């Protein structure tokens, strides 16, 4: 038997279901928002950057004429079957930017309508579909209620929030969200979306970079700050069963950040008396990262060397980011990894984390 | 001969001369600022974080009774002689936060007074002292005039600006500063200081972390954004002789950032038609990083592996950060490096970059 020929089972942890139109949510909204969206559409936080190449795969147009990523049946044919994907974990990229909108009630109403639409029009369409419900971060107590409302649906496997934020996610104002995640046994998933738009903080620590290339390159900054905040604020001591997935933000910034954090903790831990272990130990036990877009050093060995510097084989989860422009093909990335590690990253880690059957 | 016994010559690229008192600058200021500072002292941008352990070495008190780091003669005895430092490159940490002050005229006046004080009361005190003049970034044209005013002094070897900023440093508003650096043949040195204070952007991409431990851990974010901005805005095409030193921000975040930047550039370079080479090539040829605080992975081999992933032996410059709490002892860090690389990092790279005799 040639193990190189084994067809790997895949759980794809970041697949983006798109809207057919801005009116998709109308039947799922309550007044006054239903009439409003009917007249004016709905709006997220807005992003002051545009990709020079568009942001969808050019080959993913469904024959149905629906927009790319908006046809649940075609996604089965175009993504799930050819790549042997057992579960596609659906994740609305456009919806999460609603947390950048200033009106918390509006944002909560849109999220709530979306979650009903999502369960009805996506999760029910195929046994291969599971996914993440959306919440709006402006009002964490309301977000917690929304998690309690729909989080127990059997096809819901996580709660997604956006990377952009006015405050780092470890801070206490967000804790009701984590209580609800734990109560519903759902990991928190963080995904980029509209960083720097709407009411979000500027997308880097020195304000607004000039274009999409720079913005996209700097996206891991939100994750670095959220991760440091989660650990140092003691979130993982307070919620020992909470798991957090950092989606689509790269992975290799992690080792140097943890070296810096552990080193600083040794000297400065007087400020965090609630921490009982080294910061990196909390990260190893509570945090996961999806692979796409995987870094591609000129020397492929450097990626393997980097994977030795953190618990990559247990912390990484495969994702393709379908149908986005920077889709990672499961048959083309991470080819240099030993099969045993690939099995974990492509399938076993996600199966365990999301409790998939 | 045992090469381990060789006493390495050292150029320390980040030594912090401190003020004796808030009144040191008074004789060097023009009115109306002289009277103002005499009455009220002077103020930088202010930082909303305090270290739980103070920020100076506890053993560095001069017998003269002056504050730690404020006695030029004692610094020769306590730092320069025992560590075989050929040149201590002096760098005022407290001064640079002036760029966080809203009043650009005030900030420029304080910087100007400081530079005269610095040349007179520090650089003239020992042949071992060279250093960086300070500029205020609020008014780049005025900053350029200040570089022209004092930049040709033979003991001035660089121009220091602060990491905190309202905008990434590659953007065009800052270009007059780089023109002046190039005109005076001086590298630009960036050093952390009061990130998140005054008019600076929040210190992370998601706003204000809660305490000094988190703030200090997240400091490299400003550098990552500045570096991406320098490259993508074409600063190194426009000023081919400009060199930039990233001081005290860690070093090992660089390889994963460059992987991400190069990868994105391949897809998105339509937005930066002025770039003629890969982003990482500009960084290799124009950027330097000081070593302190060097990351300390549990497995020391990981540091060496990381150093293979960028041109560490040519881009790193030794620094101790004397007299700060996280001082790196040249006899204790980087012991696992081969002697030839240590010679470059401890001495030769800085000698060449700063054109020291």
């Amino acid at each position: 038997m040639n193990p190189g020929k084994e067809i790997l089972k895949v759980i794809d942890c970041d697949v983006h279901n798109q809207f057919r139109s801005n009116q998709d949510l109308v039947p799922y909204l309550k007044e006054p928002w239903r009439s409003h969206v009917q007249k004016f559409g709905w709006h997220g936080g807005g992003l002051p950057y545009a990709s020079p190449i568009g942001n969808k795969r050019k080959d993913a147009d469904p024959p149905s004429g629906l927009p790319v990523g908006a046809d649940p049946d075609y996604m089965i044919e175009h993504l799930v079957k050819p790549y042997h994907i057992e579960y596609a974990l659906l994740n609305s990229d456009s919806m999460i930017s609603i947390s950048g909108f200033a009106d918390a009630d509006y944002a909560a109403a849109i999220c709530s309508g979306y979650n009903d639409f999502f369960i009805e029009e996506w999760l029910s369409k195929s046994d291969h579909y599971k996914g993440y419900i959306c919440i709006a971060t402006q009002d964490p107590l309301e977000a917690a209620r929304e998690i309690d409302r729909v989080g127990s649906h059997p096809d819901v496997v996580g709660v997604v929030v956006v990377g952009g934020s006015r405050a780092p996610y470890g801070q206490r104002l967000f804790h009701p969200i984590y209580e609800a995640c734990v109560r519903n046994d759902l990991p928190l998933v963080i995904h980029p979306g509209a960083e720097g738009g709407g009411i979000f903080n500027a997308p880097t620590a020195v304000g607004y970079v000039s274009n999409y290339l720079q913005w996209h390159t700097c996206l891991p900054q939100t994750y670095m700050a959220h991760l440091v905040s989660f650990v140092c604020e003691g979130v993982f001591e307070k919620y020992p069963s909470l798991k957090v997935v950092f989606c689509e933000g790269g992975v290799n910034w992690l080792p140097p950040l943890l070296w810096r954090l552990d080193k600083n903790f040794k000297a400065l831990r007087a400020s965090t008396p609630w921490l009982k272990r080294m910061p990196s130990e909390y990260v190893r036990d509570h945090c996961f990262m999806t692979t796409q877009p995987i870094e591609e050093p000129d020397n492929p060995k450097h990626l393997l060397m980097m994977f030795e510097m953190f618990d990559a084989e247990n912390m990484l989860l495969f994702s393709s980011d379908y149908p986005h422009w920077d889709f990672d093909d499961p048959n083309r990335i991470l080819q240099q990894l030993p099969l045993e590690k690939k099995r974990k990253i492509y399938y076993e880690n996600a199966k365990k984390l999301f409790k998939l059957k």
Side-chain angles (χ1 to χ4, degrees), chain A:
Chain A
M1 182 193 161
N2 176 352
K5 295 287 184 195
E6 176 180 322
I7 292 176
L8 281 174
K9 284 192 288 189
V10 176
I11 295 172
D12 186 342
C13 297
D14 191 29
V15 175
H16 294 299
N17 53 302
Q18 306 292 322
F19 290 107
R20 298 185 299 269
S21 92
N22 206 283
Q23 297 294 301
D24 284 2
L25 298 185
V26 170
Y28 299 92
L29 294 171
K30 297 200 179 82
E31 292 294 356
W33 307 114
R34 177 187 284 225
S35 304
H36 182 91
V37 171
Q38 211 157 16
K39 278 189 201 152
F40 305 110
W42 66 270
H43 309 276
L47 175 67
Y49 300 100
S51 165
I53 56 171
N55 65 6
K56 301 290 187 327
R57 275 178 65 159
K58 293 192 195 312
D59 69 337
D61 276 310
S64 57
L66 288 174
V68 172
D71 184 334
D73 298 327
Y74 183 65
M75 204 183 272
I76 296 292
E77 300 304 320
H78 194 230
L79 174 72
V80 172
K81 286 186 186 169
Y83 295 106
H84 311 285
I85 290 171
E86 189 160 302
Y87 292 110
L89 305 191
L90 300 173
N91 186 7
S92 173
D93 52 341
S94 48
M95 172 55 52
I96 55 173
S97 73
I98 199 84
S99 289
F101 213 66
D103 184 336
D105 290 331
Y106 176 89
I110 297 287
C111 271
S112 199
Y114 168 77
N115 289 330
D116 290 336
F117 157 84
F118 179 56
I119 290 167
E120 179 72 25
E121 304 202 24
W122 278 92
L123 292 182
S124 69
K125 297 293 182 187
S126 163
D127 291 341
H128 295 290
Y129 289 150
K130 304 280 180 183
Y132 313 135
I133 51 169
C134 288
I135 56 167
T137 55
Q138 294 92 329
D139 180 348
L141 289 166
E142 177 57 33
R145 282 190 287 273
E146 179 66 11
I147 297 170
D148 287 334
R149 188 180 75 83
V150 287
S152 61
H153 188 283
D155 293 328
V156 169
V157 298
V159 175
V160 67
V161 293
V162 69
S165 184
R166 285 184 288 191
Y169 278 155
Q171 294 185 354
R172 289 170 205 144
L173 69 158
F174 297 113
H175 291 198
I177 293 174
Y178 314 138
E179 276 181 33
C181 284
V182 163
R183 196 158 56 233
N184 290 275
D185 205 12
L186 295 171
L188 183 79
V189 178
I190 312 180
H191 190 280
E195 282 73 1
I199 61 171
F200 294 141
N201 194 78
T204 84
V206 292
Y208 288 84
V209 287
S210 304
N211 56 37
Y212 181 88
L213 163 60
Q214 297 179 41
W215 171 81
H216 192 279
T217 304
C218 291
L219 278 177
Q221 296 206 353
T222 65
Y223 285 7
M224 296 178 200
H226 286 317
L227 182 135
V228 167
S229 178
F230 274 119
V231 173
C232 294
E233 303 284 342
V235 170
F236 300 126
E237 278 293 335
K238 193 169 171 189
Y239 306 108
S241 67
L242 182 68
K243 310 287 184 188
V244 178
V245 180
F246 293 86
C247 215
E248 199 180 340
V251 304
N252 291 306
W253 48 263
L254 187 65
L257 180 71
L258 293 181
W259 298 344
R260 188 170 174 99
L261 178 55
D262 277 355
K263 181 174 177 176
N264 274 348
F265 176 72
K266 287 174 191 168
L268 303 166
R269 58 185 159 188
S271 24
T272 54
W274 42 79
L275 295 188
K276 295 171 186 159
R277 297 189 289 156
M278 292 301 289
S280 58
E281 295 177 45
Y282 292 105
V283 173
R284 187 196 59 208
D285 292 348
H286 292 269
C287 297
F288 297 82
M289 310 168 92
T290 65
T291 52
Q292 183 282 336
I294 196 70
E295 289 96 334
E296 290 172 352
D298 287 340
N299 182 343
K301 281 186 191 157
H302 289 172
L303 194 66
L304 295 183
M305 286 159 70
M306 197 69 94
F307 282 11
E308 282 181 40
M309 300 184 198
F310 70 111
D311 192 18
E313 66 184 286
N314 292 306
M315 291 173 67
L316 295 184
L317 308 170
F318 173 79
S319 64
S320 75
D321 198 33
Y322 184 91
H324 283 179
W325 65 270
D326 48 353
F327 173 80
D328 273 349
D329 182 332
N331 300 318
R332 299 187 63 174
I333 68 155
L334 300 179
Q335 292 313 298
Q336 65 274 45
L337 277 185
L339 189 59
E340 198 42 57
K341 292 187 180 181
K342 277 183 77 173
R343 279 198 203 102
K344 294 173 86 168
I345 293 170
Y346 276 58
Y347 185 77
E348 290 163 17
N349 294 343
K351 187 166 183 182
K352 189 171 156 200
L353 173 66
F354 295 110
K355 301 181 178 68
L356 296 163
K357 302 272 157 59

